Amino acid sequence: MKDRVRDEIEKHSLIEDEENIVIGVSGGADSMALLYLLIELREEFQFNIHIAHVNHGVRGEDALRDQNFVKEEAKKLDLPYYSRDVDMVKYGKDKGITSEEAGRELRYGFFREITKKLGGGKIAVAHNKNDQAETLIMRFMRGTGIDGLRGMDFISGDIIRPLLGISREDIEKYICDKNIEIVSDMTNFQAIYNRNKVRLEAIPYVEKHFNPNIIDTMWRTSEIASLDSDFLREYTEKAYKKVLKLEKKDRLLLDLNLLVDFHLSIVQRVIRHSISRINKSLQGITEAQISNAIDLIYKKNTGKEVHFSKDIVLKIDYDKIIVETRLEKKGDYFHEIPNFGLVKLDEIGYYFNIELISIEDYKKRVSYKNTQYFDRDKIVGDLGVRNRRAGDRFLPFGMKGSKKIKDFFIDEKISKDLRDKIPLIVDRKSILWVVGYRTDEKYRIDKDTKNVLKISYEKI
């Protein structure tokens, strides 16, 4: 296995001479294998090893045991050791993200603090071939394209993954052969997170009933997707440069007529690339928003606009496409929310928690005013939260005819100064819920419902 890892380091230029490598070590088999393999290869590549450990604050004595174990390993190996205690759950709630996302942000934030103090370097993490398969399956179930199916890369900025091409089975054999001591996180063997469910339930089922080599199959899929993704990225860059007329920090102009001459796939990619040039990332930008922008571009509707997350606007001005950052009109708001998970919207003072549950769990529900249930398969596109707009209508639960939101508020005797502040949960086409008041009849649970979306809210 040492030779295979050496080959990947050389092939992907993962480590440079005299570089500082901060290894994220949990104490489990994967990270301990990574640590000992890099120690074996240290003399060949001439780099410095630093051990970092994060106690996420969720497993009590077990987490403390892991922390002490890694500390003693660093001492035994005479390697620099850094650790930090965090509250992953609280951080996630404060930021309106899942605990898994919170843990990831806290870990990498800590690791980057270390490399910064060291004057530079890279972060080595122990993702392996099985992790790659799990990532692809999760992305595929949520919905993804070629870029998503490339999965994780051996190197992403300052993060390196030397074990990415190694199976978990080979890692465990290496640990056994080398008689390396490890500690086990029992939560890895409990189906309490989506990734754990994929690892413990979905993949074994596929291996047993469909494809015993699904891990290798998904690996080949990621390699094929990576090749295609790299080509499309390069082609998109060339297309972007060809249609670009002006680029500033918060505004750029594209030649509409030149852009629509490209294939639709490239048009979509150029729009995403344009947004990332202004926003520095595509986080929070949904496929529904991109789709709306594409419709506008091909219709060439001068003066029309599409609003993205992060206050980004795309509009048509005759033969030009304008992509710019612009604040919403005072009083109006619109926020994308995830199709599942917890989100905190400080601007409007609400928490929203979105969960996908089975129809069986729905039947066992306990009713609360701040929780409502919807037929997930009737929802169109992504979800959002906004206040009312002129002409808004919905079909109040239990009624046969639609009603203007304005008239509904009057009937409910809601004061004028509150009407623009009441959140509306919406999908791409309609209003699901006037939060705190009434849901829309079109999304009700009926005898044909298979998937139920549970949405709860709390005021901050």
Side-chain angles (χ1 to χ4, degrees), residues 113-135:
E113 284 182 30
I114 298 170
T115 58
K116 186 177 180 180
K117 288 178 182 178
L118 294 171
K122 293 195 181 84
I123 299 161
V125 291
H127 293 134
N128 56 56
K129 187 184 283 189
N130 294 61
D131 293 320
Q132 184 78 301
E134 293 162 14
T135 297

Side-chain angles (χ1 to χ4, degrees), residues 257-454:
N257 295 322
L258 286 178
L259 181 60
V260 296
D261 281 343
F262 286 96
H263 190 279
L264 174 60
S265 170
I266 302 303
V267 176
Q268 291 176 330
R269 286 175 171 271
V270 168
I271 296 306
R272 290 193 192 96
H273 184 72
S274 301
I275 294 168
S276 68
R277 297 288 291 183
I278 291 177
N279 193 44
K280 307 306 177 189
S281 81
L282 289 172
Q283 187 174 4
I285 307 299
T286 68
E287 287 301 316
Q289 293 171 343
I290 297 293
S291 178
N292 290 339
I294 297 302
D295 287 344
L296 194 63
I297 288 167
Y298 279 97
K299 290 175 182 176
K300 300 183 179 180
N301 288 337
T302 293
K304 298 292 185 180
E305 299 181 349
V306 171
H307 291 249
F308 298 90
S309 308
K310 312 295 183 182
D311 297 323
I312 294 173
V313 178
L314 179 147
K315 64 182 180 181
I316 307 300
D317 184 16
Y318 297 102
D319 61 347
K320 296 188 293 294
I321 300 168
I322 300 172
V323 182
E324 62 185 357
T325 300
R326 195 174 69 201
L327 294 175
E328 292 278 355
K329 182 177 66 176
K330 185 177 180 181
D332 286 347
Y333 62 82
F334 178 88
H335 302 282
E336 292 289 327
I337 57 174
N339 290 328
F340 58 87
L342 179 70
V343 62
K344 180 184 180 186
L345 300 178
D346 289 310
E347 299 90 337
I348 62 173
Y350 280 79
Y351 279 109
F352 289 98
N353 190 34
I354 302 98
E355 301 174 71
L356 186 63
I357 65 172
S358 67
I359 191 67
E360 290 76 19
D361 286 340
Y362 167 75
K363 290 175 181 177
K364 301 179 214 175
R365 74 193 184 282
V366 176
S367 296
Y368 295 102
K369 182 180 180 182
N370 69 337
T371 299
Q372 294 293 343
Y373 301 83
F374 307 87
D375 187 323
R376 179 64 184 88
D377 298 318
K378 295 175 183 176
I379 295 171
V380 180
D382 293 294
L383 297 174
V385 179
R386 64 170 174 83
N387 55 355
R388 65 172 180 162
R389 303 287 187 267
D392 269 348
R393 302 184 72 93
F394 82 128
L395 181 58
F397 188 91
M399 295 181 63
K400 294 183 178 180
S402 69
K403 180 184 283 283
K404 284 186 177 181
I405 291 290
K406 177 183 177 180
D407 294 335
F408 175 77
F409 284 165
I410 292 171
D411 291 346
E412 293 291 319
K413 297 181 172 57
I414 298 170
S415 62
K416 288 184 178 181
D417 59 336
L418 292 178
R419 294 175 190 173
D420 288 327
K421 298 177 183 178
I422 293 172
L424 309 178
I425 302 287
V426 299
D427 67 4
R428 189 175 169 185
K429 287 193 172 181
S430 190
I431 296 166
L432 279 72
W433 184 14
V434 180
V435 174
Y437 294 90
R438 194 80 65 88
T439 59
D440 191 296
E441 174 74 13
K442 297 189 295 294
Y443 302 92
R444 75 178 301 164
I445 312 298
D446 56 33
K447 61 182 178 59
D448 297 319
T449 299
K450 294 183 176 63
N451 301 300
V452 178
L453 198 69
K454 174 184 176 183

